[in-house]
Amino acid sequence: MADAALGAGVEHRRPIFDSASIFNLFGAQPYQSVFASVSLPVSAIATDFDLRAWGRIYSSEESTPGIDPFASDAQAVGLAVGHRSVLQIGQRVLQWSSQLSHQTGTGERYGGDQFLGESRVRVPLGWQRLFLSGRALLLLAWPDHHRHEPGYATTGVLGVDLPLGDIALLSVATETSLGSFYPANSSLFVTFELEAWP
């Protein structure tokens, strides 16, 4: 078994609004944070386990001190656990990763509990150059503010990837999202990625 890897850092985040993102249901506020992480490879089961903890400060820059009751900054702490696995199933090599996280905060503006679960899988089909990929996301939130109801959002993605040599990738994927505040929505994406070196 390999040694554990430790990490730590600071982060300044200013999200860009994306109308298709489930995260906009609960707000995408800028924040500053500190975090620490540990990664533990377990070669016997071809899996890397990850643990991450953080503390965040959500800025109240849009508030008016003395007038806005939510003028003070809000703090939040969180913890996430995850894994990245490479599994051999017959002649297929399956790549699977998952993560579960929980964040709780103080203050009515940003406070409450948020749970996020994510899982991804990628497996070759009959033709080894063709890959089937899937992703599932579930977000649950219980705001502290009395005007905000608990809510959820979920997204599922199913796609097929076709590598074209070592420098290009052609992908076709369908995505379906639904939540407690908006109706179900489905989209179809076709993407072509190309890497070029000077």
Side-chain angles (χ1 to χ4, degrees):
M1 183 172 67
D3 294 333
L6 303 177
V10 296
E11 185 179 22
H12 178 73
R13 179 75 59 93
R14 292 194 65 86
I16 297 174
F17 182 82
D18 177 2
S19 62
S21 172
I22 66 174
F23 298 101
N24 290 312
L25 280 177
F26 310 105
Q29 298 86 8
Y31 63 80
Q32 296 78 42
S33 73
V34 295
F35 65 86
S37 63
V38 59
S39 178
L40 179 64
V42 182
S43 56
I45 56 174
T47 298
D48 290 345
F49 292 99
D50 299 302
L51 177 66
R52 179 182 172 102
W54 62 87
R56 293 176 179 169
I57 297 177
Y58 291 90
S59 174
S60 60
E61 60 186 23
E62 297 178 359
S63 304
T64 304
I67 298 176
D68 189 339
F70 309 122
S72 60
D73 292 344
Q75 295 81 41
V77 294
L79 182 69
V81 294
H83 76 89
R84 295 183 305 276
S85 305
V86 179
L87 307 175
Q88 182 82 35
I89 301 178
Q91 300 299 316
R92 305 283 186 266
V93 177
L94 183 146
Q95 300 174 23
W96 177 35
S97 64
S98 300
Q99 179 173 278
L100 292 173
S101 68
H102 171 230
Q103 177 175 286
T104 186
T106 61
E108 290 188 335
R109 188 178 179 90
Y110 303 105
D113 291 290
Q114 300 174 11
F115 292 90
L116 176 64
E118 178 184 16
S119 190
R120 299 172 182 250
V121 65
R122 189 169 189 259
V123 61
L125 297 177
W127 183 31
Q128 290 291 320
R129 291 182 55 82
L130 196 64
F131 293 86
L132 178 67
S133 60
R135 183 185 184 201
L137 278 164
L138 175 63
L139 177 64
L140 306 172
W142 286 269
D144 284 342
H145 196 288
H146 65 279
R147 293 181 181 175
H148 297 162
E149 295 292 331
Y152 77 92
T154 182
T155 293
V157 180
L158 185 64
V160 176
D161 301 330
L162 175 62
L164 303 175
D166 295 328
I167 62 170
L169 177 68
L170 178 64
S171 301
V172 178
T174 178
E175 176 182 287
T176 299
S177 298
L178 59 92
S180 53
F181 302 120
Y182 63 93
N185 177 62
S186 295
S187 303
L188 178 67
F189 300 93
V190 179
T191 58
F192 177 71
E193 299 178 26
L194 179 66
E195 294 184 16
W197 300 274

